[in-house]
Amino acid sequence: MKKSPLALLLTLGLLNTPFSAFAATAPLDLVGPVSDYKIYVTEQLDQLGSHTQQFTDAVKKGDLATAQKLYAPTRVYYESIEPIAELFSDLDASIDSRVDDHEKGVKADDFTGFHRIEYTLFSEKSTKDLGALADKLNNDVKDLQTRVAGLTFPPEKVVGGAAALLEEVAATKISGEEDRYSHTDLYDFQGNIDGAKKIVDLFRPQIEQQDKAFVAKVDKNFAAVNKILAKYKTKDGGFETYDKVKEADRKALVGPVNTLAEDLSTLRGKLGLN
Amino acid sequence: MKDLEQFSAQRRRVLMGMGAAGVALAGTALSCPAMAAASPAQVTEAPSSDKTEDRHDFHGKHQTGITTPRPASGMLVSFDVLASDREDLERLFRTLNERIAFLMKGGEVTQVDPKLPPVDSGILGPVVTPDNLTITVSVGESLFDERFGLASTKPKRLIRMVGFPNDALEADCCHGDLSLQFCSNTTDTNIHALRDIVKNLPDLLLVRWKQEGSVPPQAPAKPGVPAQSARNFLGFRDGSANPDSNDGKAMDAIVWVQPDSDEPAWAANGSYQAVRIIRNFVERWDRTPLQEQQSILGRVKSTGAPMGCQHETEVPDYAKDPEGKLTKLDAHIRLANPRTAETQANLILRRPFNYSNGVNKNGQLEMGLLFICYQADLQKGFITVQTRLNGEPLEEYLKPVGGGYFFTLPGVTGDKDFIGRSLLNATQPTTNA
């Protein structure tokens, strides 16, 4: 290794620096929130399962209007627990991959799941040839339920999930590219935010022990995002399409979202998790 | 070439002569290649530079990155300001001030608990080298809207860029509340600085668009021979007739807003920044006869000299060529700078970079000029010059697609000052440092 004396000194200096700025939260303190989170995920998956059944039934019956209506409210359960679902990369790809993930686009054989069905429902305005895709989605969701039931939730994945959800929002929701055919991005947006907020809420006592001001700041930014999202809620409990979001509101979402992404990226460290 | 052949022949001999022991030895060498004594340069050995410690003083009457020499790498980033009130706007300026001061000076990066994300991207390692970095802060017309109560202090000539007849402006690479011009020796240094700023200001700045560019280094000037300008992607030397940036008086007249001007008092020692992303149709240009290229530009391609001249630095005498026999009347350089007494008022200081952005849908190269210029009067400067150029024959090969007008803030005079303070103070009693 070629190292300048300065670099060497620095390395030595680093070694002497006490790294553990945060006292690790006692593992026992994490057991409660982690198991509560598993209950939350299981409930969300139960909802996802029953909604997916109704959604795919409508698709198979050729009931385009109902299928279109159920598309977004079904997905929202997936979006709220995405970091856990993503632990099973094969299922995440078959349930939730987007057209950009496939070189051959909508024609790709392995493009399945919500967004492939979304394409036919909203872009082609049809339910034609969706039978097999509907069955597969239903089966994949059931498979996901089974696998999650047997999963021991790693605390660092649970806590890290809050940041992961905000990265989802920052990378794909602000632009409105997630649900590009249905423009129902706000459902997913809310799902991601709710899922992240849930994690913060479950670990609130432990985080507050480390950094009270941090929790206040995070709460403030969640509130800022929710306030803007609430402007676009419809009477039936759903959301307006993303193209209705005013430019000023889209910009106003960016600051709190990016700040939440930055702040929540420190959450694992704050709780002393690796 | 000969050395290379010898080298590979030697390698072949070594490789072919190796038995099992040789393989084992090779294995050892592979696991720690730097231990090999006097080994020839490795593929991954970094290019070396003795300029990584070059630095500019952040403090001064004027901002840097305007009259300071243009280094090899430039980047213009336009932002939307997300601040919702003046307090946030001040926090934005103060944070920018602190980050720019650090990045231009360099130094050790703060180390934190490794369970946390590092505070720095690490692109430049644990000790940030300034690498000749300048970051120039300018504000757009939209910052003076109703949000911050700055309307009454808007620089008089600051407007939202209006498309010229040949422009095909793309909405997503135009305008902005704030621009940062990064200039340094390497792209990586600029990117490091941008990522530092983005990470430190997530709630206050949103990147709107960004354009990187480069300047090809020239061979060192020979003694007694003036330095030559770099070439743009049309293959012509660009910057030949730029005003002398070492001439303080000329810069006061051309670039810097003066304290006794009709501009708001806070704007003194600032400047107007005009940015244009000008796409060049290079395939078409390369299929154009040389003499036509030269008559369109008004310069000899090989030397950069004006038509009928020998050297780049020679000044064309248009008075002796009233009919445009030597330099066409609509040649680019003649329209841009007719060199008359009246047009002296239209001089601008150019600071362009070549850019290359990939390929368009027709398989043509997306490249051109990241044009940046500074002037004390935007109207008399860039806008007048570009208006004279409207309809020039060169337009057939150009398509401006983006950019914007900004006002470059006055310099930060010392530790008690911060960037943008004079602007904030102009509409508020005092903002203490």
Side-chain angles (χ1 to χ4, degrees), chain B residues 132-433:
Chain B
N132 207 8
L133 177 71
T134 60
I135 302 177
T136 312
V137 185
S138 312
V139 293
E141 178 264 349
S142 49
L143 196 78
F144 296 86
D145 63 15
E146 68 291 345
R147 286 172 291 170
F148 310 109
L150 298 173
S152 62
T153 60
K154 188 166 79 169
K156 289 187 82 167
R157 289 141 185 100
L158 186 60
I159 55 169
R160 181 183 167 93
M161 184 175 72
V162 180
F164 291 87
N166 187 43
D167 290 7
L169 300 178
E170 291 163 11
D172 53 5
C173 53
C174 289
H175 320 301
D177 292 331
L178 185 134
S179 83
L180 295 179
Q181 176 202 265
F182 299 80
C183 298
S184 75
N185 294 331
T186 57
T187 309
D188 303 65
T189 299
N190 290 341
I191 287 173
H192 171 265
L194 172 62
R195 279 174 55 179
D196 182 285
I197 285 167
V198 165
K199 187 169 178 66
N200 278 285
L201 289 160
D203 60 332
L204 298 177
L205 285 182
L206 166 65
V207 175
R208 187 180 168 97
W209 52 270
K210 142 179 161 306
Q211 182 60 62
E212 290 171 65
S214 58
V215 183
Q218 304 296 296
K222 294 191 184 91
V225 180
Q228 292 185 303
S229 303
R231 292 180 190 272
N232 59 24
F233 279 162
L234 297 178
F236 279 77
R237 294 196 185 279
D238 195 346
S240 312
N242 229 12
D244 179 0
S245 56
N246 292 316
D247 180 345
K249 270 192 181 159
M251 292 300 101
D252 279 348
I254 298 165
V255 176
W256 308 117
V257 169
Q258 295 302 299
D260 55 356
S261 72
D262 62 351
E263 291 286 359
W266 73 266
N269 303 317
S271 186
Y272 284 93
Q273 177 191 58
V275 181
R276 305 267 292 166
I277 301 172
I278 305 170
R279 195 185 155 206
N280 295 170
F281 300 128
V282 293
E283 290 87 353
R284 184 167 186 180
W285 182 252
D286 291 345
R287 292 190 278 257
T288 302
L290 177 62
Q291 58 187 22
E292 198 174 326
Q293 291 185 5
Q294 296 185 149
S295 69
I296 287 171
L297 258 308
R299 286 187 183 275
V300 179
K301 197 170 186 181
S302 57
T303 58
M307 302 304 281
C309 298
Q310 300 303 310
H311 302 289
E312 185 193 344
T313 47
E314 286 179 66
V315 176
D317 189 351
Y318 298 134
K320 285 190 180 151
D321 180 25
E323 288 161 48
K325 282 182 177 154
L326 198 55
T327 307
K328 288 197 166 179
L329 297 177
D330 58 6
H332 180 75
I333 69 160
R334 191 164 181 168
L335 286 174
N337 184 359
R339 296 180 188 267
T340 64
E342 308 86 75
T343 59
Q344 287 300 100
N346 310 130
L347 293 179
I348 56 179
L349 184 70
R350 284 172 294 150
R351 195 180 171 87
F353 295 87
N354 297 335
Y355 80 83
S356 175
N357 283 353
V359 183
N360 76 7
K361 282 177 182 161
N362 300 303
Q364 293 200 315
L365 303 174
E366 285 279 355
M367 54 175 61
L369 193 70
L370 168 59
F371 175 93
I372 304 171
C373 74
Y374 293 91
Q375 56 262 291
D377 185 323
L378 180 65
Q379 200 63 50
K380 283 186 185 160
F382 175 74
I383 292 175
T384 300
V385 171
Q386 182 54 50
T387 304
R388 272 204 304 260
L389 288 168
N390 283 343
E392 63 169 329
L394 185 60
E395 282 186 350
E396 210 169 314
Y397 304 90
L398 304 180
K399 192 51 85 178
V401 295
Y405 298 148
F406 301 90
F407 187 81
T408 302
L409 300 169
V412 177
T413 52
D415 289 330
K416 294 245 152 70
D417 193 10
F418 65 88
I419 193 83
R421 190 164 76 111
S422 67
L423 165 62
L424 291 173
N425 278 352
T427 49
Q428 195 171 268
T430 17
T431 301
N432 293 318

Side-chain angles (χ1 to χ4, degrees), chain A:
Chain A
M1 295 291 286
K2 279 185 281 180
K3 263 211 170 129
S4 68
L6 180 65
L8 271 173
L9 273 175
L10 200 82
T11 312
L12 291 171
L14 281 184
L15 289 172
N16 293 330
T17 311
F19 268 135
S20 304
F22 304 104
T25 307
L28 269 178
D29 287 349
L30 297 175
V31 171
V34 170
S35 50
D36 284 349
Y37 185 65
K38 184 162 183 180
I39 293 169
Y40 166 75
V41 171
T42 309
E43 285 168 359
Q44 295 295 101
L45 282 177
D46 287 347
Q47 293 282 354
L48 177 68
S50 59
H51 280 81
T52 304
Q53 185 69 58
Q54 291 170 35
F55 170 60
T56 52
D57 283 350
V59 169
K60 288 179 74 176
K61 261 190 270 171
D63 183 350
L64 179 64
T66 306
Q68 284 182 336
K69 206 175 132 211
L70 294 180
Y71 168 76
T74 302
R75 283 180 50 70
V76 76
Y77 299 104
Y78 189 86
E79 291 291 317
S80 63
I81 53 105
E82 207 164 350
I84 295 299
E86 278 176 350
L87 294 176
F88 308 102
S89 59
D90 57 330
L91 287 179
D92 185 46
S94 66
I95 293 173
D96 195 40
S97 73
R98 293 187 298 146
V99 66
D100 320 70
D101 299 325
H102 304 274
E103 189 184 348
K104 289 184 179 163
V106 288
K107 295 207 174 89
D109 289 337
D110 59 350
F111 181 25
T112 61
F114 278 113
H115 294 300
R116 174 62 188 83
I117 296 174
E118 178 200 4
Y119 168 75
T120 304
L121 292 182
F122 291 91
S123 184
E124 310 272 277
K125 301 196 172 26
S126 152
T127 54
K128 197 167 167 271
D129 300 330
L130 286 181
L133 285 163
D135 284 339
K136 178 162 173 55
L137 176 62
N138 216 14
N139 290 335
D140 284 342
V141 167
K142 281 184 184 144
D143 191 4
L144 180 64
Q145 281 181 286
T146 314
R147 289 205 224 172
V148 170
L151 177 74
T152 306
F153 280 31
E156 71 278 6
K157 292 281 181 204
V158 173
V159 174
L165 283 160
L166 261 299
E167 294 295 353
E168 279 286 325
V169 175
T172 62
K173 302 303 188 297
I174 294 287
S175 58
E177 66 190 81
E178 172 89 26
D179 298 291
R180 69 187 56 182
Y181 310 114
S182 61
H183 308 296
T184 54
D185 302 82
L186 288 179
Y187 287 80
D188 295 28
F189 204 129
Q190 187 76 63
N192 287 161
I193 293 293
D194 289 349
K197 177 86 169 25
K198 182 74 189 178
I199 294 167
V200 172
D201 285 344
L202 287 174
F203 291 88
R204 182 172 296 268
Q206 289 80 2
I207 311 165
E208 272 182 340
Q209 220 172 349
Q210 304 286 354
D211 194 342
K212 243 189 165 137
F214 171 86
V215 180
K217 188 179 168 206
V218 165
D219 282 345
K220 188 184 128 219
N221 283 312
F222 271 128
V225 172
N226 280 326
K227 195 176 160 193
I228 296 169
L229 290 178
K231 286 165 77 172
Y232 295 95
K233 278 211 170 112
T234 52
K235 279 182 189 151
D236 61 355
F239 283 97
E240 303 272 12
T241 50
Y242 200 72
D243 48 291
K244 301 256 166 53
V245 179
K246 293 198 187 90
E247 180 66 12
D249 283 331
R250 196 184 62 83
K251 264 186 214 165
L253 283 166
V254 175
V257 163
N258 285 343
T259 310
L260 279 169
E262 285 286 342
D263 287 343
L264 295 180
S265 73
T266 67
L267 206 55
R268 274 185 304 170
K270 282 192 188 300
L271 295 180
L273 291 165
N274 287 316

